[in-house]
Amino acid sequence: MSFEINIGKTRRTRVSEVNFNSIPFGKIFSDHMFIADFRMGEWENCRIVPFGKFLFHPATSSLHYGQSIFEGMKAYAGKNGEALIFRPDKNLARMNQSARRMAMPELPEELFFSALNELVSLDRQWIPKVDGGSLYIRPFMFATDEYVGIKPSDNFTFMIFTCPVGAYYEHPVKVLIDDRYVRAFPGGVGTAKAAGNYGATLFPVKQARANSYDQLLWLDGIEKKYIQEIGTMNVFFQIGEKVVTPTLDEGTILDGITRDSVIRLLKRRGIEVEERRVSVDEIVQAFDNQLLLDAFGTGTAATVSPIAEIGYNGKKMHLPPVSTRQISVSIKQELQDIKHLKKADDFGWVHSVESSKVEVED
Amino acid sequence: MSFEINIGKTRRTRVSEVNFNSIPFGKIFSDHMFIADFRMGEWENCRIVPFGKFLFHPATSSLHYGQSIFEGMKAYAGKNGEALIFRPDKNLARMNQSARRMAMPELPEELFFSALNELVSLDRQWIPKVDGGSLYIRPFMFATDEYVGIKPSDNFTFMIFTCPVGAYYEHPVKVLIDDRYVRAFPGGVGTAKAAGNYGATLFPVKQARANSYDQLLWLDGIEKKYIQEIGTMNVFFQIGEKVVTPTLDEGTILDGITRDSVIRLLKRRGIEVEERRVSVDEIVQAFDNQLLLDAFGTGTAATVSPIAEIGYNGKKMHLPPVSTRQISVSIKQELQDIKHLKKADDFGWVHSVESSKVEVED
């Protein structure tokens, strides 16, 4: 199958208006966006157009019934003008997994990569060259039937837009375990990157923030005993010499791409990593025995984010200073170096996008 | 607080294009829609405009992070040209309950009722006069921050549009209990009328439909033992002389307005109604002992919908013919008569909307 992309370039790039030394996260959008429509069982009308608002019908079904999924990736500036994207094949696989669970159509590999390559190449001037900067890439798909009634949509739109982003603010995070709320449960959609999963967490997280925590550390909904994830990140704990992280087997946490990469890098270092049920009790006990040496979240936005404090039932577990951590700091650096090809890409994780033949005038 | 509504009328009504004897559900939209914006902590810019598409930013946060809630109501044609709306105060209360759980702003009573009255009055010609017809009213609210990042939105839009609808197709429904999937969980958002709750059910329901069932009858996610609801409807069972329906206390089912009305009408008839945990085992046992005399779903769209069959673990429980049912048929009729004021509105449920001073030209 071939997906021809119709390219309608912007008349004038906005890139010179951006101060790349001070970019607010998620508010600056590059010149172009990719759009494709799913109609009569086929993806069609693949196009790149100037970034901008589009017309939306008030009964667009995604807005009412939540058939809406997304992904997040980052592109980095390579040495020779190419764009480096970290493991986009995993994002496509996860997007298609989300699509199946949400009764939405899958994206063919060729469509996804043609769109990604063409868009990132066209807007390559938007990739920040500053330290810690990257081009955040947001693919998303949503139902577009103009219909009031609860049924899977027949029509969908797939879009990709990009945002230049600066270094993510990196104070070590404080996470709270609050067992009054549950993020995901077996038989639900916790593994899908579906819009509704995020909306459901906002009120509990808002309450945690009012108590000076950054995020919630979610527990399983059945026994309120096992740790799941942070909602925006997967979670790892170093207990003594080994590292533990919640298993994917319960079907309640996101199959994080940074999570998978960190597990592989740690194993290559010879560190024992256990993917299994991790109980709060085990973490509390490790903390009490001074064996909880490191804890961190992983995700595309924050990459690796050390945890400073875990709150649970009034107990405040303060983790060791980040400077003493054996894992979170070095693994973050290693990952960053691979993403920028400053370190050998032994796993074949980095997807390189060459410059487009299409040029945008200044 | 006063909410002035700016009214921009359509130049020409489309009402004459509609064949009210054959209206497809949810696809025909009346002349106007109401819109209000939430900015800087205040609802503002209340307006009625011709129904149509509006401009949507690709990063509109509701589409990515699911802060989106809705309600459903129906208006009926009264004898003297007025519109009769059933218990809209309950819809407002539930919308505000949904808003709180989803970290969204509440709607002031005056805004909601001014908008509802003005819009329905202006488009009163759209209320079908045919038997079983009504004007379906869809209030909904969604996050409008143009921002990539997971946080509660600061900006929201509240809209109402309406659709003339015919008699809902009323074959008795076949429901399947499939314990591989879970709709809602304690600590989650199952009581909120949030978009994500619906999207999460589409794939499981699609599978049920492939096996000739209409809907799923959802179980609790912890013990997979207690009945919750039908996803589009609450559920009632007549066991011998009494009626049982799942309790709201678990925080996992929608607080249905038809559910509440049916409970009150049944109690007035002197029928014992128990709101409590209802186990599948109890229903199976009642069926086996020929005590399961009636079962039905309740909701705004279907009002009261008799259940023909319940599938569970390969067992097909066929309920008695609808003509022999003591409750579902008569309670549906009674409810319908009250909504049309053909029967005394003893509970003060019917909200009457007088004709607007604003006229729309043909």
Side-chain angles (χ1 to χ4, degrees):
Chain A
M1 226 186 297
S2 171
F3 296 95
E4 186 117 350
I5 301 176
N6 195 314
I7 299 180
K9 282 191 297 174
T10 184
R11 284 171 51 217
R12 196 182 144 275
T13 176
R14 289 178 282 103
V15 75
S16 60
E17 297 164 16
V18 179
N19 174 7
F20 282 96
N21 292 306
S22 165
I23 321 172
F25 192 94
K27 289 184 180 172
I28 307 290
F29 303 91
S30 311
D31 281 331
H32 299 92
M33 60 188 184
F34 173 85
I35 313 177
D37 301 314
F38 189 81
R39 304 259 174 280
M40 310 285 285
E42 302 277 352
W43 286 105
E44 59 173 44
N45 198 9
C46 297
R47 59 206 188 270
I48 286 175
V49 298
F51 182 86
K53 294 186 178 185
F54 55 95
L55 283 170
F56 206 79
H57 190 277
T60 300
S61 66
S62 45
L63 205 54
H64 298 258
Y65 307 120
Q67 261 186 311
S68 188
I69 59 177
F70 70 95
E71 276 297 327
M73 292 181 273
K74 279 180 179 171
Y76 302 90
K79 275 182 190 165
N80 307 309
E82 77 280 29
L84 307 175
I85 306 180
F86 191 66
R87 306 187 76 182
D89 53 317
K90 288 277 284 178
N91 290 90
L92 172 61
R94 189 171 62 187
M95 185 132 189
N96 282 339
Q97 186 192 22
S98 297
R100 288 191 293 274
R101 182 58 182 87
M102 298 299 288
M104 299 168 77
E106 294 185 44
L107 286 168
E109 188 175 343
E110 192 193 326
L111 188 162
F112 182 79
F113 277 101
S114 303
L116 182 66
N117 292 344
E118 205 61 62
L119 183 69
V120 170
S121 175
L122 189 63
D123 281 342
R124 62 188 177 277
Q125 295 170 293
W126 288 84
I127 306 176
K129 272 115 202 142
V130 298
D131 209 35
S134 61
L135 188 70
Y136 182 84
I137 303 168
R138 169 56 57 92
F140 62 113
M141 192 200 297
F142 55 96
T144 57
D145 276 9
E146 298 168 357
Y147 173 68
V148 180
I150 299 160
K151 74 168 202 57
S153 190
D154 293 320
N155 301 287
F156 295 86
T157 292
F158 170 62
M159 295 179 72
I160 309 178
F161 62 72
T162 68
C163 297
V165 297
Y168 203 80
Y169 182 50
E170 287 169 17
H171 72 107
V173 294
K174 294 169 68 179
V175 297
L176 176 68
I177 297 171
D178 180 348
D179 65 11
R180 290 174 299 167
Y181 300 102
V182 174
R183 176 192 170 274
F185 42 87
V189 298
T191 56
K193 219 164 160 66
N197 285 340
Y198 295 86
T201 67
L202 297 173
F203 175 71
V205 170
K206 198 174 175 180
Q207 288 195 310
R209 292 208 170 152
N211 289 307
S212 86
Y213 285 93
D214 299 295
Q215 290 290 344
L216 288 177
L217 181 55
W218 296 94
L219 294 188
D220 80 281
I222 297 177
E223 299 179 66
K224 306 277 178 86
K225 190 173 163 185
Y226 297 101
I227 291 168
Q228 288 186 341
E229 60 157 278
I230 300 181
T232 55
M233 297 189 282
N234 292 111
V235 66
F236 289 77
F237 304 94
Q238 182 191 354
I239 300 175
E241 294 301 304
K242 75 184 174 199
V243 171
V244 297
T245 190
T247 173
L248 301 175
D249 293 347
E250 313 279 310
T252 51
I253 67 171
L254 203 71
D255 181 1
I257 293 157
T258 309
R259 174 187 181 280
D260 181 76
S261 307
V262 164
I263 290 171
R264 297 227 211 165
L265 291 176
L266 290 176
K267 285 186 174 171
R268 183 166 72 167
R269 288 184 186 185
I271 293 171
E272 192 182 347
V273 183
E274 294 176 358
E275 293 180 72
R276 59 166 169 80
R277 284 188 149 193
V278 179
S279 73
V280 192
D281 289 349
E282 178 182 1
I283 299 305
V284 171
Q285 203 175 8
F287 176 80
D288 289 342
N289 295 333
Q290 297 180 322
L291 287 170
L292 189 62
L293 305 180
D294 200 350
F296 52 94
T298 61
T300 294
T303 69
V304 176
S305 187
I307 292 170
E309 179 188 324
I310 303 170
Y312 177 54
N313 278 346
K315 185 181 177 89
K316 288 172 190 286
M317 295 184 275
H318 293 279
L319 276 96
V322 171
S323 58
T324 70
R325 308 271 182 110
Q326 296 172 303
I327 291 176
S328 49
V329 180
S330 68
I331 207 81
K332 183 188 180 84
Q333 190 61 50
E334 184 176 0
L335 204 52
Q336 204 69 356
D337 288 346
I338 295 171
K339 287 176 179 177
H340 287 87
L341 292 183
K342 290 178 184 166
K343 194 167 189 293
D345 177 23
D346 298 324
F347 295 99
W349 283 343
V350 178
H351 172 77
S352 179
V353 179
E354 303 304 322
S355 298
S356 169
K357 283 137 283 178
V358 184
E359 295 291 329
V360 179
E361 286 83 41
D362 277 302
Chain B
M1 228 186 294
S2 171
F3 295 95
E4 185 117 351
I5 301 176
N6 195 313
I7 299 180
K9 281 191 297 173
T10 185
R11 283 170 53 217
R12 194 182 145 275
T13 177
R14 290 177 282 103
V15 74
S16 60
E17 297 164 18
V18 179
N19 174 6
F20 283 96
N21 292 308
S22 166
I23 322 173
F25 191 94
K27 290 183 179 172
I28 307 290
F29 303 92
S30 312
D31 281 331
H32 299 91
M33 58 188 185
F34 173 87
I35 312 178
D37 301 315
F38 189 81
R39 302 259 174 280
M40 311 285 285
E42 301 279 353
W43 285 105
E44 58 173 44
N45 198 11
C46 297
R47 58 206 188 270
I48 286 175
V49 298
F51 181 86
K53 293 186 178 186
F54 55 95
L55 283 170
F56 206 79
H57 190 279
T60 300
S61 67
S62 46
L63 205 54
H64 298 258
Y65 306 119
Q67 260 186 312
S68 187
I69 59 177
F70 70 94
E71 278 296 327
M73 293 180 274
K74 279 181 178 169
Y76 302 90
K79 275 183 194 165
N80 308 310
E82 77 281 28
L84 307 175
I85 306 180
F86 191 68
R87 306 188 75 181
D89 53 318
K90 287 277 284 180
N91 290 89
L92 171 61
R94 189 170 64 186
M95 185 132 188
N96 282 340
Q97 186 192 22
S98 298
R100 287 190 294 272
R101 180 60 181 86
M102 297 298 290
M104 299 168 77
E106 294 185 44
L107 286 168
E109 188 175 345
E110 192 192 326
L111 187 162
F112 182 80
F113 276 101
S114 302
L116 182 65
N117 292 344
E118 204 61 61
L119 183 68
V120 171
S121 174
L122 189 63
D123 280 343
R124 63 187 176 278
Q125 293 168 294
W126 288 84
I127 305 175
K129 272 115 201 143
V130 298
D131 209 34
S134 61
L135 188 70
Y136 182 84
I137 302 168
R138 168 57 58 92
F140 61 115
M141 191 200 299
F142 54 97
T144 56
D145 276 10
E146 298 169 357
Y147 173 68
V148 179
I150 299 161
K151 72 167 202 59
S153 190
D154 292 320
N155 301 288
F156 295 86
T157 292
F158 170 62
M159 294 179 71
I160 309 178
F161 63 72
T162 67
C163 297
V165 296
Y168 202 79
Y169 182 51
E170 285 170 17
H171 71 109
V173 294
K174 293 169 68 178
V175 297
L176 176 68
I177 297 172
D178 179 349
D179 64 12
R180 291 174 299 166
Y181 300 103
V182 174
R183 177 192 168 274
F185 213 75
V189 297
T191 55
K193 219 164 161 64
N197 285 340
Y198 296 86
T201 67
L202 296 174
F203 176 71
V205 170
K206 198 175 175 178
Q207 289 195 310
R209 292 207 171 151
N211 289 308
S212 86
Y213 286 94
D214 299 296
Q215 290 289 343
L216 288 177
L217 182 54
W218 297 93
L219 294 189
D220 81 281
I222 297 177
E223 299 179 64
K224 305 277 178 86
K225 193 173 161 183
Y226 297 101
I227 291 167
Q228 287 185 344
E229 59 158 275
I230 300 182
T232 54
M233 296 189 283
N234 293 109
V235 65
F236 289 77
F237 303 95
Q238 183 191 354
I239 299 175
E241 294 300 304
K242 75 184 174 200
V243 171
V244 297
T245 190
T247 172
L248 301 176
D249 293 347
E250 313 279 310
T252 51
I253 68 172
L254 203 73
D255 181 1
I257 293 158
T258 310
R259 175 187 180 279
D260 180 77
S261 307
V262 164
I263 290 171
R264 298 228 211 164
L265 291 176
L266 289 176
K267 285 186 173 169
R268 183 166 72 169
R269 288 185 186 184
I271 293 171
E272 192 182 346
V273 183
E274 294 175 357
E275 293 180 74
R276 58 165 168 84
R277 283 188 150 194
V278 179
S279 74
V280 191
D281 290 349
E282 178 181 1
I283 299 305
V284 171
Q285 203 175 7
F287 176 79
D288 289 343
N289 295 333
Q290 298 180 322
L291 285 169
L292 189 61
L293 306 180
D294 200 351
F296 52 94
T298 61
T300 295
T303 69
V304 176
S305 186
I307 292 170
E309 180 188 324
I310 303 170
Y312 178 56
N313 279 345
K315 186 182 176 91
K316 290 170 189 287
M317 296 184 274
H318 293 278
L319 277 96
V322 171
S323 59
T324 70
R325 310 270 182 111
Q326 295 172 305
I327 291 176
S328 49
V329 180
S330 68
I331 207 81
K332 184 188 180 83
Q333 190 60 51
E334 184 175 1
L335 205 52
Q336 206 66 358
D337 288 346
I338 295 171
K339 287 175 179 178
H340 288 87
L341 292 183
K342 289 177 184 167
K343 195 167 188 294
D345 176 23
D346 298 323
F347 294 99
W349 283 341
V350 178
H351 172 77
S352 179
V353 178
E354 302 305 322
S355 298
S356 169
K357 282 138 282 175
V358 183
E359 294 292 329
V360 179
E361 286 85 40
D362 277 302

